[in-house]
Amino acid sequence: MSGGVVTAGWWIVTGTAVAALLLLGAALGCRARRWPPGRAATTLPAALVIAAVLAALAAVVFALVADDEALQAADGPVLGWMVGHRSPAWTGVAETASLLGGTVGTGGLAVVSAVVLWARGHRTRAGVWVVAVLVGSLTIRGLKAAVERPRPPVGTRLTVETSASLPSGHSLMAALGLGLTVLAVLTLLGPGGGRGRAVARGATVLVGAVLVVGIGASRAYLGVHWTTDVLAGWLVGGALTTLAVGVALALEARIPAIHPSEGVPVPPLR
């Protein structure tokens, strides 16, 4: 890794760590002021704390990437193990997951869920979802351009990729796009509703989690990403998802306060 890439890597580490501190400070501020009112007074700080923790963990991963020696005992052996345990069946599964779980597919699914939310009256959340997907796309491009990490050796790859390796765009957008889609489904299902809806909510979360893990793992299996690329993508995507939840909660709490005559506030995200 060249000196310029290492320097860029440490700038990313610093920026991510600062972002984590700002999110934690915002959570503490909301808690101290007991804002926003209602149920969101607990949910918003929790979302901000989760986003802060995920951002801090991403900073740790970026720090490992910026230090070549720290990765010699991590990424290489995992890649070697995956290459050594390939099979035609698993390769087919990985190729399918990678194809269907691309950034356009998972990001587009979140946008579709936003359209449904908009049609069902959850317009604030719908707008936040669309902005979050845009921010996620820009984040992928920005991090890849800043770090310019080389991908694994060509001999280990089962598909062609030309962009930089860090972070895995598939993993980041899977965590973000599918996370927002799952939250949209939970919003539409609503609380309560008996055992049937409880099962539907649980199944939605389980399917979403399996898809996120499967898409990220497929990229490492196919040899087009280091394991830390995938981990960084999951962490950043998760942070953006929880941050989107926090922003949506804040906006939903603020709108009724500004226009109290316009109806009952939209129920908070769960």
Side-chain angles (χ1 to χ4, degrees):
M1 198 177 287
S2 67
V5 175
V6 172
T7 300
W10 285 111
W11 272 110
I12 296 299
V13 173
T14 303
T16 309
V18 169
L21 291 174
L22 291 175
L23 289 169
L24 183 59
L28 294 174
C30 289
R31 192 70 176 171
R33 293 179 171 230
R34 296 181 179 180
W35 185 90
R39 216 180 266 179
T42 300
T43 312
L44 174 57
L48 293 174
V49 168
I50 293 172
V53 170
L54 292 174
L57 292 174
V60 173
V61 174
F62 291 140
L64 291 174
V65 171
D67 184 352
D68 287 334
E69 294 182 2
L71 291 178
Q72 289 179 359
D75 279 331
V78 174
L79 177 62
W81 185 88
M82 287 196 171
V83 171
H85 288 78
R86 285 172 176 168
S87 69
W90 280 115
T91 298
V93 171
E95 289 175 340
T96 301
S98 184
L99 177 63
L100 298 179
T103 56
V104 174
T106 52
L109 189 60
V111 172
V112 170
S113 74
V115 172
V116 176
L117 285 174
W118 182 278
R120 296 292 296 273
H122 302 280
R123 298 191 172 183
T124 299
R125 298 180 198 186
V128 172
W129 269 214
V130 173
V131 172
V133 171
L134 177 60
V135 170
S137 179
L138 293 175
T139 299
I140 293 171
R141 294 175 180 271
L143 290 175
K144 284 181 180 290
V147 182
E148 294 185 341
R149 187 188 193 190
R151 289 183 183 268
V154 176
T156 66
R157 305 182 204 173
L158 296 181
T159 187
V160 178
E161 295 288 352
T162 57
S163 63
S165 194
L166 181 76
S168 165
H170 279 65
S171 301
L172 192 157
M173 194 56 76
L176 176 60
L178 293 177
L180 294 177
T181 302
V182 166
L183 289 168
V185 173
L186 296 180
T187 297
L188 296 174
L189 286 174
R195 185 175 180 180
R197 286 201 175 185
V199 171
R201 288 192 290 268
T204 299
V205 173
L206 179 60
V207 170
V210 169
L211 289 175
V212 170
V213 172
I215 291 169
S218 74
R219 303 302 286 169
Y221 178 93
L222 294 172
V224 293
H225 277 294
W226 303 103
T227 309
T228 42
D229 299 336
V230 174
L231 183 57
W234 281 335
L235 291 170
V236 175
L240 290 175
T241 301
T242 51
L243 182 58
V245 172
V247 170
L249 286 169
L251 292 176
E252 289 171 352
R254 183 175 177 79
I255 291 173
I258 298 175
H259 305 289
S261 63
E262 293 186 6
V264 179
V266 179
L269 287 166
R270 296 182 181 275

